[in-house]
Amino acid sequence: MDRLRVDLPGLKMKNPVMPASGCFGFGKEYAQFFNLNELGAIAIKATTPEPRFGNPTPRVAETKAGMLNAIGLQNPGLAGVIEKELPRFNDYDVPILANIAGSTMTDYIEVAARLSTEKNVHALELNISCPNVKQGGIAFGTVPETAAELTREVKAVSQVPVYVKLSPNVSDIVAMAKAVEHAGADGLSMINTLLGMRIDVKTRQPILANTYGGLSGPAIKPVALRMIHQVSQQVDIPIIGMGGIQSAQDVIEFLLAGASCVAVGTANFVDPYTCPTIIDELPQWLDELEMNTVTEIIGGSWKRCKTHSLSH
Amino acid sequence: MDRLRVDLPGLKMKNPVMPASGCFGFGKEYAQFFNLNELGAIAIKATTPEPRFGNPTPRVAETKAGMLNAIGLQNPGLAGVIEKELPRFNDYDVPILANIAGSTMTDYIEVAARLSTEKNVHALELNISCPNVKQGGIAFGTVPETAAELTREVKAVSQVPVYVKLSPNVSDIVAMAKAVEHAGADGLSMINTLLGMRIDVKTRQPILANTYGGLSGPAIKPVALRMIHQVSQQVDIPIIGMGGIQSAQDVIEFLLAGASCVAVGTANFVDPYTCPTIIDELPQWLDELEMNTVTEIIGGSWKRCKTHSLSH
Amino acid sequence: MRDRYGKLTVVSQTQVAKDSYELVLEGSTVGQMKEPGQFLHVRVDETEDLLLRRPISIANVDLAKQQVTMIYRAGGAGTKRLATYETGKSLNVMGPLGQGFPVDEANAGDVALLVGGGIGVPPLYYLAKQLVAKGVTVKSVLGFASKQDIFYEEAFRELGDVYVTTVDGSHGMKGFVTNAIDDKQLVSDVLYSCGPTPMLKVLTERYRGKRAFISLEERMGCGIGACFACVCAVEKGEAYEYRKICTDGPVFPVGEVVL
Amino acid sequence: MRDRYGKLTVVSQTQVAKDSYELVLEGSTVGQMKEPGQFLHVRVDETEDLLLRRPISIANVDLAKQQVTMIYRAGGAGTKRLATYETGKSLNVMGPLGQGFPVDEANAGDVALLVGGGIGVPPLYYLAKQLVAKGVTVKSVLGFASKQDIFYEEAFRELGDVYVTTVDGSHGMKGFVTNAIDDKQLVSDVLYSCGPTPMLKVLTERYRGKRAFISLEERMGCGIGACFACVCAVEKGEAYEYRKICTDGPVFPVGEVVL
Ligand SMILES: Cc1cc2nc3c(=O)[nH]c(=O)nc-3n(C[C@H](O)[C@H](O)[C@H](O)COP(=O)(O)OP(=O)(O)OC[C@H]3O[C@@H](n4cnc5c(N)ncnc54)[C@H](O)[C@@H]3O)c2cc1C
Ligand SMILES: Cc1cc2nc3c(=O)[nH]c(=O)nc-3n(C[C@H](O)[C@H](O)[C@H](O)COP(=O)(O)OP(=O)(O)OC[C@H]3O[C@@H](n4cnc5c(N)ncnc54)[C@H](O)[C@@H]3O)c2cc1C
Ligand SMILES: Cc1cc2nc3c(=O)[nH]c(=O)nc-3n(C[C@H](O)[C@H](O)[C@H](O)COP(=O)(O)O)c2cc1C
Ligand SMILES: Cc1cc2nc3c(=O)[nH]c(=O)nc-3n(C[C@H](O)[C@H](O)[C@H](O)COP(=O)(O)O)c2cc1C
Ligand code: FES
Ligand code: FES
């Protein structure tokens, strides 16, 4: 299955498909459905220094072709993740992308320094864009200078490559991407959720206890594709593409836009077999497109000529 | 039917529903289906100083629960609109909101000065946010200072109230709204489309000839509601709410979020009777919500106590 | 979980009350549905229009026929879509999921009080059947808004005493389930309940420290413990302690979690 | 337009070639469908999953029975959805829309050449019927990709000479429609054509200045002239001059618009 292989900083992926952070817990739930070794990689749920309870419920709401979430970064904290969650991956041969978050720069640095020394962590994903955390997060995600500074600080302490997960709630995504690339990011993850809301017309109140939440699912796919298309032409680091992916055809669209691999979030809730199904179907799509390998497709919508390997 | 009445600067609306600019031409097509007098108002297609052909085709693409468009402001130009389109409204008793656009500030000023003297124009809507026009548009829409300056210049020449139509493709929608309010805007229209794209996996090329286009329809409703909810609590001018409205229930959701009236765009293409159907159903919704008038609902998701009239 | 995921075929869809439907489904995964109080996570729409699954309790199971019954209220967009499924159509269902009512906690000869409110009534039916089968005396108190909302009154009556209340008094006793418990002075060894949160709150105060079990509702994403959508806090736990309703629940001992 | 908007009922849905379906619909708006070459704007999905309507040509009409026939290729998501509609289901249809083929331009005794490519063939059938009815001699050149894509060959043959071409030579003449026109030295007084743009371009060069009419395709929003999605430029017009395919077309005289 070497046709599907993608080699990215820290992530030697058998195929270009990983579940997205926050949509796959720490893997054990979906391990009941299929062998996690089938996956290209796994992005685990955000880790913060201390355990967090997160936001009050309701935490999810449905929207047309999408959903809103305001989980609020609930997680067992750095110690909990290291002691209870990461050891489970000892039995697997799949690279782990550890999503990290916090309210202050110190939080990120603390988690990055410690988590990046764990043998089951192959790369970090800086969640600078969680729209559900009142302080912290959002400011990092919308100001290029702050995002760059955070990236630099985390890179200084991390033992593994660092991907920065960009927020789509910005005027100029290219400026954000260039700023963190310049600050040393090894890759980008995009996109996180769009900030949205729903109102219950009966109670007249927001459905989410947190008022606003992150919009994910097929509804946001066109925005994700546009941003990846814009950014991939302007940076030299690889992009983990995500936002509404449901099918192998969607994956091809993301690769053509310029993503080097993809993450699947919301679709896992709809069909727990989404990732393995996509992985199964990809070779057939390569045949149809008359492509030998996945890497040939990357950026195909804007590259002049076929590239035979991923230069970055 | 006074329960549905909404009085806004320049727009004395029988009901809170108008078709959105660009989705209703200059009215004559939909006049074949129903009497335009049933509408609360009509937002007509963007006018630029000179006639414009717009972008190459394909100009539209479908997305899940949404569509992309890159029309490129095709219109008959200022003289054409005045001579051929506006006189049609002589036979109607419905306020007209004239959407205006351009590539330079001078363009906007020229159109505003002239169009606002037309008897069939009751208010202007500054389209500072069209994502499909390569130069101009987009810069006005994402920089608060520039948007404010444009608003000030147009206000100086306009004979009728001026609504500024905000782009959702910004980091801080509240800053944009406050800037144009401060510059004298009489109201806001929000939201315009989100910038998105689709790629045809067979041709490997973007579906839209323009590469990127504006995402509209139910997919963007949660983003629109969130922005209106944020902005309406921070400004004292009314908001024309839009983005994915399909039904009377959607209208209630927008009013609760803080819109003073709404515009229906994409839904007209799905069902040409969307506007009159919604208008018909609104009184029933008022009954169910135990509300007397539409204006009582405005901002109901965040107002402490019921307001009995619209203060702004 | 492979044996808890797949297509079930609609055997019948019957309206049993105003806006309420009984849906009988058949398929091999029914073989796993042995515990009352567990739920199914139902994909109501094969397209992406309505994206999220809907959690619906198991109301009854016929293991021999591989048939499961759900009873649901067609209130929102998804359950209204579900109500359009006709005999022969197939439906993508995950489940059984979660921890159901502990039948073990009632011994033969015990009196079990089953208290259901509205659309919380369905899971109590499969529970009642299992309790009766092991020799437990079942008394059911079923609360509805109005006469037109009532379903399964007779079915429950075949398994023991039934007390129906309606808020508007249009059938049975006027008032809430707690009024019936007081009025009829219903005593019991173990309590099982499912219904609206205000009702569960009152029962929690009354039955704290007793053998009492309640089933909770929350909006869900994954339904299997991966997304943290459905958590609730633990009573007297650390600030960050929680339970997931989808996997630790939906049934909890009274007093375990904060309502 | 009120009489051009409403629900039609599916009378039959028949597969007529690989991926191609013939859909017969019945309803009162069919009474308006008198002009060949006009199209219907079809809502393929009652939910918001697939939002846009699909433009499909009128392939045949039985005014007496109030029945209209469409023939379409189930290629993308919407037409695949359409292919699932079974007899008795109702379908929301706008139309007839646009300007069809000018039957007036052919006089009794004239020879009309009808050139169709693939899924451009269907509107020519209703046209052929009307032409024959007024005494015009119809010759049809129908091009398909392959044998398995061919439909309505016999139906056309009942109305006049038919020349079928396939790109792979699996049926009829191998090659393109223009090869058949050359080979068979087909002469005509008036030309009507519908098919892929490259084919229409070649015909435009050949028939410029003659009585020749072509039907164009473009992605549409509204279908009624309001959204400016479907415009094309006018040959030798001002830079801003345009035609809307949905209302000024889809049929244009050869040479009027830029292909
Ligand atoms: C464990 C469990 C068991 C349940 N058993 C039953 C049952 O047997 N019969 C029955 O009628 N109902 C039951 N419910 C409630 C049922 O899940 C909701 O009524 C249903 O999801 C509402 O969907 P909708 O399409 O009608 O509403 P919509 O408003 O369209 O739903 C939008 C989203 O909100 C969620 N949602 C809305 N209301 C609720 C709610 N009350 N609880 C959980 N999610 C909600 C939906 O699942 C969906 O994700 C149960 C809920 C849970 C958690
Ligand atoms: C006036 C007119 C008449 C037509 N008549 C026929 C006919 O009789 N039979 C037939 O099979 N096809 C016909 N077509 C083409 C038909 O509209 C498309 O094949 C169809 O819209 C594709 O939809 P889909 O769901 O398969 O593809 P999708 O890719 O799901 O469509 C997505 C969107 O793109 C649009 N689109 C995609 N391809 C085309 C296309 N080639 N032309 C226009 N819009 C497109 C769709 O309408 C939809 O809005 C006609 C087109 C026009 C403009
Ligand atoms: C329930 C839920 C929880 C999420 N939690 C996180 C998180 O902890 N960290 C993060 O970076 N992104 C988080 N995300 C965002 C996803 O990783 C992903 O970027 C987004 O959902 C878009 O992809 P999708 O449309 O496939 O879901 C979460 C998304 C959802 C739906
Ligand atoms: C085809 C199309 C053309 C549009 N043209 C304009 C325009 O000329 N000026 C403008 O301000 N907005 C234009 N818009 C944006 C709409 O007015 C509206 O803001 C947007 O579509 C969101 O509403 P909706 O989801 O109901 O369509 C256009 C939208 C569409 C779909
Ligand atoms: S619904 Fe996802 S954790 Fe419970
Ligand atoms: S499709 Fe809207 S103008 Fe033609």
Side-chain angles (χ1 to χ4, degrees):
Chain A
M1 292 268 288
D2 263 7
R3 301 177 73 187
L4 301 189
R5 174 169 290 286
V6 186
D7 272 351
L8 301 183
L11 307 172
K12 297 203 170 305
M13 299 171 65
K14 298 186 257 306
N15 62 65
V17 182
M18 70 175 89
S21 176
C23 302
F24 208 72
F26 294 91
K28 72 167 181 291
E29 292 80 13
Y30 288 92
Q32 301 170 286
F33 290 94
F34 59 88
N35 187 335
L36 301 184
N37 283 334
E38 292 179 36
L39 297 168
I42 298 175
I44 56 177
K45 176 126 195 79
T47 302
T48 55
E50 303 301 324
R52 275 211 203 207
F53 183 80
N55 291 323
T57 56
R59 292 177 174 186
V60 296
E62 192 178 58
T63 71
K64 283 284 165 175
M67 67 175 281
L68 294 167
N69 89 80
I71 307 295
L73 296 181
Q74 181 157 25
N75 79 96
L78 185 54
V81 169
I82 291 172
E83 282 155 35
K84 295 203 198 106
E85 305 295 348
L86 289 177
R88 279 191 239 274
F89 295 114
N90 289 341
D91 307 337
Y92 293 102
D93 172 32
V94 57
I96 304 299
L97 178 63
N99 190 278
I100 70 176
S103 311
T104 62
M105 194 151 331
T106 331
D107 284 354
Y108 282 90
I109 297 171
E110 181 187 341
V111 180
R114 180 69 190 79
L115 219 48
S116 67
T117 64
E118 283 293 310
K119 82 169 190 316
N120 285 338
V121 169
H122 303 85
L124 297 181
E125 186 180 47
L126 296 199
N127 177 0
I128 58 165
S129 51
C130 182
N132 305 320
V133 181
K134 288 271 160 73
Q135 23 136 252
I138 199 78
F140 291 124
T142 56
V143 183
E145 293 73 27
T146 332
E149 197 190 334
L150 179 67
T151 307
R152 216 171 289 118
E153 298 279 349
V154 167
K155 270 297 284 182
V157 300
S158 177
Q159 309 298 312
V160 295
V162 174
Y163 292 75
V164 180
K165 185 155 178 180
L166 301 183
S167 164
N169 303 294
V170 297
S171 310
D172 187 348
I173 192 74
V174 173
M176 290 296 305
K178 283 185 166 173
V180 301
E181 177 186 37
H182 195 74
D186 300 285
L188 301 171
S189 288
M190 46 194 297
I191 59 174
N192 210 317
T193 52
L194 284 164
L195 194 60
M197 90 179 291
R198 283 293 313 276
I199 295 171
D200 183 327
V201 294
K202 292 206 181 105
T203 64
R204 298 174 207 177
Q205 295 303 308
I207 292 181
L208 297 176
N210 190 52
T211 307
Y212 306 137
L215 180 64
S216 63
I220 69 168
K221 195 180 89 169
V223 176
L225 286 168
R226 182 265 296 182
M227 290 188 164
I228 291 165
H229 189 264
Q230 289 179 315
V231 168
S232 62
Q233 296 178 65
Q234 301 283 329
V235 300
D236 291 314
I237 49 177
I239 296 173
I240 305 172
M242 71 200 79
I245 293 175
Q246 304 262 119
S247 67
Q249 179 165 348
D250 288 339
V251 172
I252 304 291
E253 221 176 317
F254 274 78
L255 296 175
L256 287 170
S260 291
C261 71
V262 301
V264 174
T266 305
N268 295 299
F269 309 157
V270 182
D271 177 354
Y273 291 102
T274 306
C275 290
T277 304
I278 289 175
I279 294 164
D280 272 3
E281 289 174 3
L282 278 176
Q284 211 172 302
W285 273 96
L286 290 184
D287 292 346
E288 265 182 52
L289 294 167
E290 294 175 1
M291 293 285 203
N292 268 321
T293 66
V294 155
T295 52
E296 284 172 43
I297 308 175
I298 300 167
S301 68
W302 52 264
K303 282 194 183 142
R304 293 283 151 117
C305 47
K306 281 191 200 179
T307 49
H308 284 280
S309 72
L310 192 62
S311 57
H312 39 242
Chain B
M1 292 269 288
D2 263 6
R3 301 176 71 186
L4 300 190
R5 173 169 291 285
V6 185
D7 272 351
L8 300 183
L11 307 171
K12 298 202 171 304
M13 298 170 66
K14 297 187 260 305
N15 61 65
V17 182
M18 69 175 89
S21 175
C23 303
F24 207 74
F26 294 91
K28 71 167 182 292
E29 291 82 12
Y30 288 92
Q32 300 170 286
F33 289 94
F34 59 88
N35 186 335
L36 301 184
N37 283 335
E38 294 179 34
L39 298 168
I42 298 175
I44 55 176
K45 178 126 195 75
T47 302
T48 57
E50 303 301 324
R52 274 210 203 208
F53 183 80
N55 291 322
T57 55
R59 292 178 173 186
V60 296
E62 193 178 55
T63 72
K64 282 284 163 172
M67 66 175 281
L68 293 166
N69 89 79
I71 306 296
L73 297 180
Q74 181 156 26
N75 79 95
L78 185 54
V81 169
I82 290 171
E83 282 155 35
K84 297 203 197 102
E85 305 295 348
L86 289 176
R88 278 190 239 274
F89 295 114
N90 289 341
D91 306 337
Y92 293 103
D93 173 31
V94 58
I96 303 299
L97 178 63
N99 189 277
I100 70 176
S103 311
T104 62
M105 195 150 331
T106 330
D107 282 355
Y108 282 90
I109 296 169
E110 181 187 340
V111 179
R114 181 67 191 81
L115 218 48
S116 67
T117 62
E118 281 294 310
K119 82 169 191 315
N120 285 339
V121 170
H122 302 86
L124 297 181
E125 186 180 47
L126 296 198
N127 178 2
I128 58 164
S129 52
C130 183
N132 306 320
V133 181
K134 289 270 160 75
Q135 25 135 249
I138 198 77
F140 291 124
T142 55
V143 183
E145 294 71 29
T146 332
E149 196 189 333
L150 179 68
T151 307
R152 215 171 289 118
E153 298 280 347
V154 167
K155 271 298 285 183
V157 300
S158 177
Q159 309 297 312
V160 295
V162 174
Y163 292 74
V164 180
K165 184 155 180 180
L166 301 183
S167 164
N169 303 296
V170 297
S171 310
D172 187 348
I173 192 74
V174 173
M176 290 296 304
K178 282 185 165 172
V180 302
E181 178 186 36
H182 194 76
D186 299 285
L188 302 170
S189 288
M190 48 194 298
I191 57 175
N192 211 318
T193 51
L194 284 163
L195 194 59
M197 89 178 292
R198 283 293 312 276
I199 295 171
D200 184 327
V201 295
K202 292 206 182 105
T203 64
R204 300 175 207 176
Q205 293 304 307
I207 293 181
L208 297 176
N210 191 50
T211 306
Y212 307 136
L215 180 63
S216 62
I220 70 168
K221 196 181 89 169
V223 176
L225 286 167
R226 183 263 297 183
M227 290 189 164
I228 291 165
H229 188 265
Q230 289 179 314
V231 168
S232 62
Q233 297 178 64
Q234 301 283 331
V235 301
D236 291 315
I237 49 177
I239 296 173
I240 305 172
M242 69 201 81
I245 292 174
Q246 304 262 121
S247 66
Q249 178 165 349
D250 288 340
V251 172
I252 304 290
E253 220 175 316
F254 274 79
L255 297 174
L256 286 170
S260 291
C261 71
V262 301
V264 175
T266 305
N268 295 300
F269 308 156
V270 182
D271 177 355
Y273 290 102
T274 305
C275 289
T277 304
I278 289 175
I279 294 163
D280 272 4
E281 289 174 4
L282 277 176
Q284 213 171 301
W285 272 96
L286 290 184
D287 292 346
E288 266 183 50
L289 294 168
E290 294 174 2
M291 292 286 202
N292 268 323
T293 65
V294 155
T295 53
E296 285 171 43
I297 307 176
I298 299 166
S301 67
W302 51 264
K303 281 194 184 142
R304 295 281 151 117
C305 48
K306 283 191 196 178
T307 49
H308 285 280
S309 72
L310 190 64
S311 57
H312 39 243
Chain C
M1 295 284 268
R2 285 172 205 260
D3 53 356
R4 295 178 182 219
Y5 180 83
K7 297 260 185 180
L8 297 179
T9 306
V10 176
V11 174
S12 66
Q13 169 100 260
T14 320
Q15 189 165 357
V16 292
K18 177 165 181 282
D19 301 330
S20 293
Y21 295 81
E22 178 199 67
L23 182 59
V24 182
L25 301 169
E26 186 175 307
S28 62
T29 59
V30 174
Q32 307 303 317
M33 303 180 188
K34 292 172 184 158
E35 209 179 305
Q38 289 186 298
F39 69 96
L40 306 178
H41 213 28
V42 181
R43 186 161 175 190
V44 293
D45 184 2
E46 288 295 317
T47 76
E48 276 85 51
D49 187 46
L50 304 176
L51 205 61
L52 296 177
R53 290 171 177 271
R54 267 57 175 177
I56 309 278
S57 300
I58 293 170
N60 196 10
V61 174
D62 185 328
L63 286 171
K65 288 192 185 158
Q66 294 203 317
Q67 292 185 347
V68 61
T69 302
M70 304 189 293
I71 298 168
Y72 64 93
R73 194 158 64 84
T79 48
K80 280 181 184 154
R81 184 79 48 90
L82 192 57
T84 67
Y85 278 71
E86 291 166 2
T87 304
K89 265 200 88 165
S90 80
L91 195 61
N92 183 312
V93 173
M94 247 164 96
L97 300 176
Q99 312 303 322
F101 289 109
V103 177
D104 295 353
E105 294 279 346
N107 304 311
D110 277 357
V111 173
L113 189 61
L114 276 50
V115 181
I119 212 63
V121 167
L124 299 178
Y125 181 68
Y126 191 30
L127 172 66
K129 275 181 52 176
Q130 294 203 6
L131 291 171
V132 168
K134 72 178 269 191
V136 176
T137 302
V138 168
K139 298 186 179 188
S140 307
V141 184
L142 311 177
F144 295 95
S146 179
K147 184 175 179 176
Q148 62 196 0
D149 301 306
I150 298 171
F151 54 83
Y152 268 41
E153 183 180 354
E154 285 316 308
F156 274 94
R157 208 177 295 286
E158 283 170 23
L159 300 169
D161 293 348
V162 175
Y163 308 87
V164 170
T165 66
T166 52
V167 180
D168 66 1
S170 52
H171 184 80
M173 186 178 295
K174 182 178 161 86
F176 297 98
V177 287
T178 41
N179 299 132
I181 298 173
D182 292 342
D183 246 58
K184 304 291 175 187
Q185 303 185 357
L186 299 177
V187 286
S188 56
D189 301 296
V190 50
L191 174 98
Y192 299 99
S193 181
C194 182
T197 308
M199 181 187 108
L200 298 180
K201 277 191 176 153
V202 175
L203 292 174
T204 295
E205 290 326 311
R206 288 184 174 214
Y207 291 85
R208 195 182 284 282
K210 308 251 171 68
R211 269 191 281 160
F213 305 89
I214 55 176
S215 181
L216 306 186
E217 269 189 18
E218 189 49 78
R219 287 179 186 241
M220 293 185 176
C222 66
I224 56 169
C227 78
F228 291 83
C230 68
V231 299
C232 50
V234 174
E235 261 199 19
K236 311 192 201 79
E238 299 283 344
Y240 57 80
E241 273 192 87
Y242 64 92
R243 296 287 182 276
K244 290 176 188 160
I245 291 180
C246 66
T247 47
D248 301 318
V251 176
F252 294 96
V254 144
E256 178 166 333
V257 299
V258 179
L259 292 185
Chain D
M1 294 285 269
R2 285 173 206 260
D3 53 357
R4 294 178 183 217
Y5 181 83
K7 298 259 185 181
L8 297 180
T9 306
V10 176
V11 175
S12 66
Q13 166 99 264
T14 318
Q15 190 166 355
V16 292
K18 178 165 182 284
D19 302 329
S20 292
Y21 296 80
E22 178 199 67
L23 182 60
V24 182
L25 301 169
E26 186 174 308
S28 63
T29 58
V30 175
Q32 306 303 317
M33 303 180 188
K34 293 172 184 157
E35 210 178 304
Q38 287 186 301
F39 70 96
L40 306 179
H41 213 27
V42 181
R43 186 162 174 188
V44 292
D45 183 2
E46 287 296 317
T47 75
E48 274 87 50
D49 187 47
L50 304 175
L51 204 61
L52 295 177
R53 290 171 176 271
R54 266 59 176 176
I56 310 277
S57 299
I58 294 171
N60 196 10
V61 173
D62 185 329
L63 286 172
K65 289 192 184 160
Q66 294 202 317
Q67 293 184 347
V68 61
T69 302
M70 304 189 294
I71 297 169
Y72 64 94
R73 195 159 63 84
T79 47
K80 280 182 185 155
R81 185 79 48 91
L82 192 58
T84 67
Y85 278 71
E86 291 166 1
T87 305
K89 266 201 88 166
S90 81
L91 195 63
N92 183 312
V93 173
M94 246 166 97
L97 300 176
Q99 312 302 322
F101 289 109
V103 178
D104 295 354
E105 295 279 345
N107 304 311
D110 277 358
V111 174
L113 188 60
L114 275 50
V115 182
I119 213 60
V121 168
L124 299 179
Y125 182 68
Y126 191 33
L127 172 66
K129 275 180 51 176
Q130 293 203 8
L131 291 171
V132 168
K134 71 180 270 192
V136 177
T137 301
V138 169
K139 298 185 180 187
S140 307
V141 184
L142 312 177
F144 295 95
S146 179
K147 184 176 179 176
Q148 62 195 1
D149 301 305
I150 298 171
F151 54 84
Y152 268 41
E153 183 180 353
E154 286 316 306
F156 274 94
R157 209 176 296 283
E158 283 171 24
L159 300 169
D161 293 348
V162 176
Y163 309 87
V164 171
T165 65
T166 52
V167 180
D168 65 2
S170 52
H171 185 83
M173 185 179 295
K174 182 178 163 83
F176 298 97
V177 287
T178 40
N179 299 131
I181 298 174
D182 292 342
D183 247 56
K184 304 291 173 183
Q185 303 187 358
L186 299 176
V187 288
S188 57
D189 301 295
V190 50
L191 173 98
Y192 299 100
S193 181
C194 181
T197 308
M199 179 186 108
L200 299 180
K201 276 191 176 155
V202 175
L203 292 175
T204 296
E205 290 326 310
R206 289 184 174 213
Y207 290 86
R208 197 181 283 283
K210 308 251 170 65
R211 268 191 282 159
F213 305 89
I214 55 175
S215 180
L216 305 187
E217 270 190 17
E218 189 49 76
R219 287 180 186 242
M220 293 186 176
C222 67
I224 57 169
C227 77
F228 291 83
C230 67
V231 300
C232 50
V234 173
E235 263 198 18
K236 309 189 201 81
E238 299 282 344
Y240 57 82
E241 271 191 271
Y242 64 93
R243 294 289 183 274
K244 291 177 189 159
I245 291 180
C246 67
T247 48
D248 300 319
V251 176
F252 295 96
V254 145
E256 178 166 332
V257 300
V258 180
L259 292 186

